[in-house]
């Protein structure tokens, strides 16, 4: 038998999944959902070989952040992940503005993994762990630390070995004398600017005013914890610890729009309850204030969910202002960028937890990074009360989060087979009328994007 024929027959016996060198992007479409637990945008990137890559835009972000990138990707080989990322990363930004670039980057990794038949973590260098620890975030919406403790105890009974709760402004906003504030300023924080169609100019004005209020940085709000407020918060966490005990890690979030001085006062009050970390006390941009905060307390200080790209983390790490970095893959730039962020943090002796408050697509992207990053600590899970969360996709273990861990399989790409249209169609964002609808209007979007002359 001629050698060429033997080679062809041998190749036919190999599962090559596709011809990666001939793979090309042909389309991009989205599905905008709500309640998993918040709003998010699921993304599909289609190819000429029938392989579809899945990604997800950050919770609370606009689908436009991803769709505007479509014309810059059509016709390209999705396996050229780094080259395409370098092309589009200028269109991302901090916070939700990084959502589109990150979603696309994740979908490209999913496509590459499916094309070559390997899981993403393997392409990142392999495993550091077989299971990914999940921390269960539980909103502290009740005024009783004992009741919040009971809710957290229920999480422990489900197998969670790491917890997080809120502790700050919203627990004491209705307690007379607990918050020193300019008259009327607390009222706006009780509401959040919603999304969906608005019928009148007045409705738009009200939403815009609420939006502006929530965008006032912490040092400029004039809000302060009184001693009475700090007494309440200290008692709150004491009651929680009384219920759950001291053995389990308990992280603290949602302190409120307060100054670094108030953050220091709170941190010192709760040191004896050994928080796993104190999260996003002030905006991440205030590097020197973070150094001041961390130098003033033994509580580990954590931030990072709103930072875009590796270079955004570098000043904080060099300053010594944080003990835990907390990137969200759907803001940070996606899978490879977050792996780089984790490795850089390790060089500074800083651990990495991962923020995640979206669907199983985002969860699996984060889990692959966690699997392949040595200094990883825990991955956020905010959907313990969403009974349809596991049903969004097929191909993953059910439940995906079991006994407080995610097990990453050896399936190609993210490990997800598909999205279940029947499920997501029941949970569309307000004003959205369908899923995976044509996005042809974005096919020819063009500008001269070079940022130098």
């Amino acid at each position: 038998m001629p050698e060429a024929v033997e080679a062809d027959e041998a190749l036919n016996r190999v599962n090559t999944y596709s011809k990666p060198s001939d793979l090309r992007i042909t389309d991009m479409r989205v599905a905008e959902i709500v309640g998993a637990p918040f709003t998010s945008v699921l993304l599909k990137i289609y190819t000429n070989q029938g392989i579809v890559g899945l990604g997800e835009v950050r919770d609370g972000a606009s689908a436009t952040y991803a769709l505007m990138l479509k014309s810059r990707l059509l016709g390209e080989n999705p396996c050229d992940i780094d080259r395409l990322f370098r092309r589009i990363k200028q269109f991302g930004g901090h916070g939700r503005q990084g959502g589109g670039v990150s979603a696309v980057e994740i979908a490209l990794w999913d496509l590459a993994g499916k094309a070559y038949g390997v899981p993403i973590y393997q392409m990142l260098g392999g495993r550091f762990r077989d299971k990914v620890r999940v921390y269960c975030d539980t909103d502290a919406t009740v005024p009783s630390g004992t009741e919040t403790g009971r809710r957290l105890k229920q999480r422990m009974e489900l197998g969670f070995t790491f917890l997080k709760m809120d502790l700050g402004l919203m627990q004491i906003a209705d307690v007379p004398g607990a918050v020193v504030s300019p008259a009327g300023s607390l009222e706006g924080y009780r509401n959040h600017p919603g999304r969906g169609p608005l019928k009148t100019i007045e409705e738009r004005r009200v939403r815009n005013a609420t939006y502006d209020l929530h965008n006032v940085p912490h040092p400029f709000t004039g809000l302060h914890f009184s001693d009475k407020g700090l007494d309440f918060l200290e008692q709150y966490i004491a009651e929680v610890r009384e219920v759950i005990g001291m053995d389990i890690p308990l992280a603290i979030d949602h302190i409120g729009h307060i100054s670094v001085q108030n953050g220091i006062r709170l941190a010192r009050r709760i040191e004896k309850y050994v928080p796993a970390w104190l999260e996003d006390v002030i905006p991440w941009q205030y590097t020197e204030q973070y150094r001041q905060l961390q130098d003033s307390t033994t509580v580990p200080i954590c931030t990072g969910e709103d930072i875009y790209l590796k270079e955004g983390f570098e000043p904080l790490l060099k300053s010594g202002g944080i003990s835990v970095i907390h990137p969200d893959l759907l803001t940070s730039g996606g899978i490879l960028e977050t792996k780089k962020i984790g490795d850089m943090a390790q060089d500074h002796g800083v651990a990495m937890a991962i923020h995640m408050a979206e669907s199983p697509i985002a969860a699996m992207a984060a889990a692959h990074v966690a699997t392949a990053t040595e200094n990883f600590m825990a991955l956020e899970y905010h959907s313990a009360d969403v009974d349809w969360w596991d049903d969004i996709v097929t191909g993953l273990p059910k439940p995906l989060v079991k006994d407080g861990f995610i097990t990453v399989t050896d399936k190609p790409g993210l490990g997800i087979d598909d999205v279940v249209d029947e499920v997501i169609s029941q949970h569309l964002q307000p004003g959205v009328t369908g899923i995976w609808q044509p996005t042809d209007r974005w096919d020819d979007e063009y500008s001269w994007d070079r940022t130098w002359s």
Side-chain angles (χ1 to χ4, degrees):
M1 182 180 296
E3 289 185 5
V5 175
E6 289 182 353
D8 287 341
E9 289 189 357
L11 186 61
N12 288 335
R13 292 193 295 270
V14 176
N15 188 355
T16 58
Y17 289 86
S18 73
K19 293 184 177 180
S21 61
D22 296 331
L23 198 61
R24 295 293 182 268
I25 295 172
T26 59
D27 201 0
M28 177 193 295
R29 300 190 181 192
V30 299
E32 302 173 73
I33 65 171
V34 65
F38 307 116
T39 60
S40 58
V41 179
L42 311 184
L43 176 77
K44 284 187 176 183
I45 293 182
Y46 301 81
T47 67
N48 60 336
Q49 296 178 18
I51 305 174
V52 177
L54 299 175
E56 186 166 1
V57 181
R58 174 81 186 268
D59 66 291
S62 169
T64 301
Y65 291 150
L67 293 173
M68 63 181 284
L69 305 173
K70 181 182 178 183
S71 64
R72 296 165 174 89
L73 298 167
L74 291 175
E76 294 287 354
N77 187 329
C79 297
D80 296 334
I81 301 169
D82 196 22
R83 179 175 65 84
L84 296 179
F85 177 72
R86 290 169 189 248
R87 175 186 293 175
I88 65 174
K89 71 177 183 178
Q90 64 178 300
F91 301 106
H94 300 299
R96 270 64 185 176
Q97 296 174 33
V101 171
S102 301
V104 166
E105 196 265 6
I106 290 167
L108 296 179
W109 276 102
D110 190 34
L111 283 166
K114 289 173 177 175
Y116 286 104
V118 293
I120 291 171
Y121 73 78
Q122 196 65 61
M123 294 188 286
L124 295 176
R127 294 179 186 264
F128 280 99
R129 55 193 52 83
D130 295 325
K131 297 190 299 182
V132 173
R133 187 184 306 277
V134 168
Y135 75 80
C136 190
D137 196 347
T138 302
D139 294 333
T141 55
V142 294
S144 164
T146 300
E147 181 57 33
T148 294
R150 292 193 186 108
R151 292 190 67 204
L152 291 168
K153 187 71 172 179
Q154 291 172 355
R155 308 301 200 201
M156 295 169 65
E157 291 167 355
L158 292 173
F160 289 100
T161 61
F162 204 121
L163 304 171
K164 188 169 83 171
M165 73 171 201
D166 303 337
L167 186 73
L169 191 63
M170 287 300 99
Q171 279 72 46
I172 58 175
D174 294 324
V175 178
V179 182
V180 180
S181 63
S185 61
L186 274 178
E187 294 305 314
Y189 290 102
R190 303 178 197 279
N191 302 308
H192 199 276
R195 64 173 56 222
L198 300 175
K199 297 179 180 179
T200 68
I201 293 295
E202 178 60 17
E203 288 177 338
R204 293 184 182 278
R205 188 199 66 78
V206 170
R207 185 171 72 175
N208 289 341
T210 305
Y211 179 91
D212 288 343
L213 177 65
H214 282 265
N215 278 272
V216 176
H218 299 43
F220 316 130
T221 62
L223 301 176
H224 300 274
F225 296 142
S226 69
D227 283 343
K228 180 179 180 180
L230 289 171
D231 290 342
F232 186 100
L233 294 174
E234 182 178 353
Q235 180 62 28
Y236 197 100
I237 191 173
E239 292 173 0
V240 169
R241 278 296 192 191
E242 183 67 26
V243 176
I244 68 172
M246 290 295 296
D247 295 332
I248 189 166
L250 175 65
I252 303 298
D253 192 12
H254 291 163
I255 291 87
H257 287 204
I258 50 94
S259 67
V260 65
Q261 293 84 3
N262 284 274
I264 291 170
R265 293 171 66 214
L266 175 62
R268 288 173 172 171
R269 283 289 196 104
I270 65 175
E271 283 178 345
K272 61 185 174 183
Y273 303 104
V274 197
W277 65 70
L278 200 58
E279 182 177 329
D280 295 335
V281 179
I282 51 177
W284 63 267
Q285 293 93 337
Y286 298 121
T287 302
E288 179 57 29
Q289 291 190 25
Y290 264 102
R291 187 199 59 76
Q292 179 186 354
L293 174 60
Q294 185 62 90
D295 285 350
S296 301
T297 180
T298 59
V299 176
I301 300 302
C302 168
T303 195
E305 69 178 76
D306 293 316
I307 301 178
Y308 181 59
L309 302 181
K310 178 169 67 75
E311 50 264 37
F313 287 85
E314 193 167 4
L316 280 165
L317 290 169
K318 287 183 174 180
S319 75
I322 52 174
S323 297
V324 180
I325 60 164
H326 197 224
D328 188 310
L329 267 73
L330 305 193
T331 282
S332 63
I335 287 172
L336 181 57
E337 193 73 4
T338 306
K339 163 68 172 165
K340 292 178 180 179
I341 290 165
D343 290 344
M344 180 175 65
Q346 182 168 348
D347 291 340
H348 290 272
V350 172
M352 180 173 75
I354 297 179
H355 181 271
M356 194 284 299
E358 295 90 11
S359 84
I361 296 173
M364 287 308 300
H368 279 276
V369 173
T371 298
T373 307
E374 187 174 14
N375 63 329
F376 167 77
M377 182 184 295
L379 166 63
E380 180 169 1
Y381 179 57
H382 214 302
S383 302
D385 299 319
V386 181
D387 58 8
W388 53 277
W389 191 80
D390 281 305
D391 299 328
I392 293 173
V393 299
T394 59
L396 297 177
K398 283 191 177 182
L400 177 59
V401 179
K402 184 177 181 181
D403 297 327
F405 288 86
I406 292 175
T407 299
V408 180
T409 71
D410 291 331
K411 294 179 64 175
L414 291 170
I416 298 170
D417 291 341
D418 203 354
V419 177
V420 181
D421 291 349
E422 293 79 8
V423 173
I424 62 175
S425 294
Q426 298 171 20
H427 301 279
L428 299 182
Q429 293 181 22
V432 174
T433 58
I435 60 174
W436 316 125
Q437 295 179 327
T439 56
D440 298 352
R441 60 167 293 213
W442 296 100
D443 288 1
D444 298 313
E445 176 77 13
Y446 179 80
S447 66
W448 183 244
D449 296 325
R450 195 174 70 189
T451 57
W452 47 270
S453 297

